[in-house]
Amino acid sequence: MCGITGYIGENKTTDILIDGLKRLEYRGYDSCGIAVVDGKNKLYLRRVSGRVDALDKLVAGDPVKGAQSGVGHTRWATHGAPSEDNAHPHTDCAGEVVVVHNGIIENYLDLKEKLQAGGHKFKSETDTEVIAHLMEDKLKALHVQAAAMRAEMLEPVFFEAFRRTLADLKGSFAISMVWARCPGLLLAARMHSPLVIGLGKGENFIASDVSAFLKHTKKVVFLNDGELAAVRMDGVDYYTFAGKKTAKDSVTIQWDSTMAEKGGYKHFMLKEIHEQAEAVENTLRGRLLPLGGEILKAEMGLSAEAMKGFSSLQFIACGTAYHACLVGRGLFENFGLVASADVASEFTDRAKLMARGTLVVAISQSGETADTLFAVREAKAGGAKVLCITNTVGSTLTREADYVLYTHCGPEIGVASTKAFLGQLAAIYLLAGHFAAARGRLSGAEARRYAEDLLKIPRLIEETLEKEPEIAKIAEAFSASEHFLFISRHLNYPIALEGALKIKEISYVHAEGYPAGEMKHGPIAIIYKGMPLLAVAPSGRTLDLMAGNVEEAKARGADVVAIVDAASRKTVKASRYITLPEAPELFTPMLTVLPLQLFAYYVALAKKCDIDKPRNLAKSVTVR
Ligand code: M6R
């Protein structure tokens, strides 16, 4: 995920911005840059494709000692490949307005077209650049571009142009901006993407998270959605986007700067678990309504007609992404569409049997997994069309697939996949909804209901994660166990597999995920007295059967932790419960997996394992 820094004060602006960017490196990025303005209204813009160290070297000889304000950015490519041209900051045609941005401007194509028709020349492929050009137009409309006004007199104009620019933007953004003609004022705004102000003495800071400036100040103000900040050397004023001044309280951060590099979390895995509501929200945003219509066509060329034409779907992936495939299979089948799912490394002769009408859906966080890429090539050779779901812009998979559906989870650093899985599920639910509506499996009213239910999931994720303290206690109680069983049925069976995989990966203990109904056909023999068994049993059509399977396991000595909701808790008899908020049955996998991730995390923590870098594992597996 991208990172923003901003500074205004009498210290060394360039050094502070670059140090801040270094502290945001953990977020993951592919290019970076800074822009600073000196006392003579001269702007210095420096960008590199690559690491902050290279940027640091680049600016070492710059004559920017007098700079009093500036902004910096680490970019994780979304619109446009990772390159120097696409790196932030971006400027207007005059090279005076400078912007850095996190998030996605959903209406950038519309805006860009209009701006180009008005004579603006674009220098990058990014959505962000429209912001700088829009500002240029707004400033012109306020008749100031040519006027020789003193910087202080320009401040209200800069502010008003910024406000008007924000009114034109749709999507998610954290923005920080500097205008060369007005170096005493930095502007910042937030909508669905975090932004925080650091309050110093005679200096102030802007950043996407506090780790960027924590070594200078611990006094911070968090912006809310729809708020903007006018940041000067001697103080900060806060406003709504409508221009109404608001009072905001500052808080004092207790973290030290080392902790803050992981956003205050002990491990990236835990941080990423807590980013899952955002990952789902970002993946769904602007892509759901109307279902079955033109949205997927506009984004990746997949029309309603094409969706009607496929005879079946074939999911392929590895590891956690394969578990997302299994949920996808169940979901499409629920809508009466033929679907299968295979582990990519086992998709050998089957690839050649793909009918021409099959849509192969390949899922990969990295987009670089060798097994998945190989399976895709085989399927394509057989004549199948390929749609990929990935989190990584410009990855090999995106270049080989016919259709690309991005998840917008931000970089996942922990080797154990968590938020990427939720992003994949969100993309699958999105795709299934569009397919079902296009093929008449959901009526207009049902499609709307489906979309509304899906949009509630991020809030339910947050509610579920509030159970963390009790999940931690249960995990600690079982942490000495060398064996774990996870069972469930139907759409939650893949969640049982995922629960077992998570604990294997980071705790190095034996764990099995099983379809609950299969237990009596063999695996039940391994149950011993006190063996931990996690039963995923939300309300729904499989509940009574699940309750029976739990009884069978208990009768053989299993110590059962049941993942339930308030209603199913009455039916399933376990020794411990983790009770989740109620959700429509179809959507429960996006909630039931959360306690299993936290359970695995806390077992590994109790075992003192290297959670973010488990033994023998790599984040991206590029060999077959
Ligand atoms: O990048 P991919 O999604 O293709 O990776 C697939 C698997 O290697 C990955 O999900 C792996 O299983 C994770 N470490 C699971 O936590």
Side-chain angles (χ1 to χ4, degrees):
M1 223 177 333
C2 310
I4 285 178
T5 58
Y7 176 76
I8 188 160
E10 283 177 343
N11 262 309
K12 291 182 177 164
T13 303
T14 306
D15 293 351
I16 287 176
L17 290 174
I18 290 196
D19 182 65
L21 292 182
K22 285 185 179 162
R23 290 169 191 282
L24 295 179
E25 279 187 305
Y26 77 89
R27 298 166 71 95
Y29 68 103
D30 44 60
S31 54
C32 53
I34 60 162
V36 298
V37 184
D38 71 9
K40 294 179 186 145
N41 304 102
K42 185 149 175 42
L43 184 105
Y44 295 85
L45 173 70
R46 300 289 180 263
R47 300 179 301 187
V48 297
S49 174
R51 316 306 294 173
V52 179
D53 273 346
L55 181 68
D56 202 1
K57 284 201 186 96
L58 181 73
V59 301
D62 273 353
V64 285
K65 298 274 181 286
Q68 66 173 50
S69 60
V71 290
H73 193 262
T74 48
R75 173 176 187 254
W76 192 76
T78 58
H79 294 68
S83 69
E84 190 180 321
D85 284 346
N86 288 332
H88 299 212
H90 292 286
T91 59
D92 62 341
C93 297
E96 292 189 338
V97 173
V98 175
V99 62
V100 291
H101 159 230
N102 291 356
I104 293 170
I105 306 299
E106 282 169 13
N107 58 336
Y108 88 102
L109 283 175
D110 268 5
L111 294 170
K112 189 168 177 176
E113 218 169 88
K114 285 183 196 135
L115 287 161
Q116 281 171 326
H120 288 267
K121 298 270 176 289
F122 279 75
K123 302 170 289 282
S124 77
E125 301 162 281
T126 63
D127 52 340
T128 303
E129 195 182 339
V130 297
I131 304 169
H133 293 280
L134 269 178
M135 272 298 284
E136 189 172 21
D137 271 5
K138 307 293 180 198
L139 286 167
K140 267 192 197 140
L142 291 161
H143 305 295
V144 294
Q145 205 64 336
M149 294 165 87
R150 284 207 322 274
E152 309 83 69
M153 296 167 71
L154 287 174
E155 286 187 3
V157 176
F158 182 27
F159 179 83
E160 181 54 20
F162 186 57
R163 227 182 48 72
R164 292 185 189 184
T165 296
L166 295 175
D168 285 354
L169 304 179
K170 290 201 180 98
S172 63
F173 46 81
I175 295 172
S176 182
M177 190 176 280
V178 65
W179 184 28
R181 299 188 58 194
C182 197
L185 177 64
L186 279 181
L187 293 175
R190 172 194 161 129
M191 181 58 81
H192 304 308
S193 189
L195 205 56
V196 57
I197 309 296
L199 305 175
K201 288 203 175 73
E203 61 181 358
N204 289 303
F205 306 79
I206 299 169
S208 31
D209 77 55
V210 294
S211 54
F213 55 64
L214 216 49
K215 91 178 207 207
H216 302 282
T217 180
K218 292 191 173 192
K219 201 171 161 196
V220 308
V221 174
F222 291 98
L223 291 189
N224 293 324
D225 287 343
E227 289 180 344
L228 66 91
V231 184
R232 296 180 184 82
M233 228 182 253
D234 56 0
V236 185
D237 292 313
Y238 305 93
Y239 302 84
T240 63
F241 282 7
K244 189 170 172 288
K245 205 163 178 180
T246 52
K248 288 193 69 79
D249 293 331
S250 65
V251 289
T252 303
I253 297 291
Q254 305 300 340
W255 309 331
D256 64 35
S257 45
T258 338
M259 280 168 84
E261 276 159 25
K262 289 185 185 116
Y265 291 98
K266 203 170 162 67
H267 295 97
F268 283 111
M269 181 182 175
L270 190 59
K271 175 174 171 284
E272 287 159 4
I273 287 174
H274 282 277
E275 286 171 346
Q276 296 187 101
E278 201 187 340
V280 170
E281 203 163 3
N282 288 344
T283 301
L284 297 178
R285 184 173 297 119
R287 293 160 136 186
L288 259 178
L289 291 168
L291 281 173
E294 295 297 288
I295 294 182
L296 294 186
K297 184 171 175 208
E299 181 171 338
M300 57 170 170
L302 185 64
S303 64
E305 276 317 299
M307 286 189 267
K308 280 185 214 160
F310 294 112
S311 55
S312 62
L313 276 91
Q314 168 69 54
F315 289 91
I316 43 172
C318 306
T320 288
Y322 168 65
H323 300 151
C325 290
L326 290 173
V327 176
R329 180 182 73 185
L331 196 57
F332 274 82
E333 285 174 349
N334 168 78
F335 287 127
L337 305 170
V338 178
S340 18
D342 279 273
V343 165
S345 55
E346 289 297 320
F347 190 64
T348 47
D349 292 338
R350 299 204 56 199
K352 298 179 189 76
L353 301 176
M354 290 296 96
R356 283 215 162 254
T358 304
L359 177 66
V360 169
V361 181
I363 305 183
S364 171
Q365 189 284 130
S366 62
E368 302 294 349
T369 300
D371 287 321
T372 308
L373 287 171
F374 186 81
V376 160
R377 286 171 196 147
E378 292 281 289
K380 282 194 85 172
K385 288 270 181 216
V386 175
L387 182 154
C388 77
I389 294 176
T390 183
N391 196 33
T392 311
V393 174
S395 56
T396 309
L397 189 57
T398 64
R399 295 195 293 274
E400 305 208 2
D402 299 287
Y403 309 105
V404 181
L405 184 59
Y406 283 111
T407 56
H408 294 301
C409 303
E412 189 180 63
I413 296 164
V415 167
S417 188
T418 52
K419 67 174 177 172
F421 181 63
L422 262 285
Q424 288 158 0
L425 291 186
I428 288 168
Y429 278 85
L430 180 78
L431 195 65
H434 280 291
F435 262 82
R439 296 170 74 116
R441 302 287 178 164
L442 281 174
S443 68
E446 286 165 343
R448 250 190 322 280
R449 181 70 202 271
Y450 178 90
E452 280 164 14
D453 285 342
L454 191 47
L455 288 168
K456 286 183 193 146
I457 295 297
R459 190 180 49 76
L460 297 179
I461 290 175
E462 276 167 6
E463 215 180 299
T464 304
L465 292 176
E466 284 167 16
K467 302 271 166 185
E468 182 175 348
E470 68 189 75
I471 297 167
K473 273 198 196 124
I474 297 174
E476 276 152 27
F478 285 115
S479 60
S481 179
E482 284 300 312
H483 304 276
F484 291 86
L485 263 174
F486 294 76
I487 59 167
S488 194
R489 282 176 173 257
H490 191 225
L491 284 174
N492 280 293
Y493 155 57
I495 301 307
L497 295 179
E498 178 61 7
L501 176 61
K502 285 286 88 81
I503 206 161
K504 275 188 263 212
E505 278 189 294
I506 58 171
S507 287
Y508 322 136
V509 293
H510 167 238
E512 301 253 12
Y514 248 89
E518 267 292 293
M519 289 296 294
K520 57 188 168 299
H521 298 289
I524 203 165
I526 68 169
I527 293 182
Y528 56 86
K529 190 164 166 36
M531 182 182 203
L533 183 142
L534 286 90
V536 182
S539 295
R541 58 180 137 151
T542 61
L543 178 60
D544 289 338
L545 287 170
M546 267 303 293
N549 299 139
V550 166
E551 290 306 317
E552 289 153 15
K554 276 193 326 192
R556 273 95 189 157
D559 193 350
V560 177
V561 181
I563 319 299
V564 289
D565 51 49
S568 68
R569 185 175 175 145
K570 294 181 193 135
T571 309
V572 182
K573 304 292 169 224
S575 58
R576 293 178 174 85
Y577 294 95
I578 300 168
T579 308
L580 310 181
E582 306 223 7
E585 183 183 359
L586 209 55
F587 300 99
T588 51
M590 280 195 270
L591 302 183
T592 51
V593 71
L594 308 172
L596 302 191
Q597 295 168 339
L598 285 168
F599 184 84
Y601 174 82
Y602 281 102
V603 169
L605 192 68
K607 286 180 167 301
K608 299 192 176 22
C609 296
D610 188 352
I611 292 180
D612 283 332
K613 293 189 206 75
R615 71 183 186 203
N616 304 339
L617 298 180
K619 184 71 189 153
S620 183
V621 184
T622 52
V623 290
R624 290 183 63 216

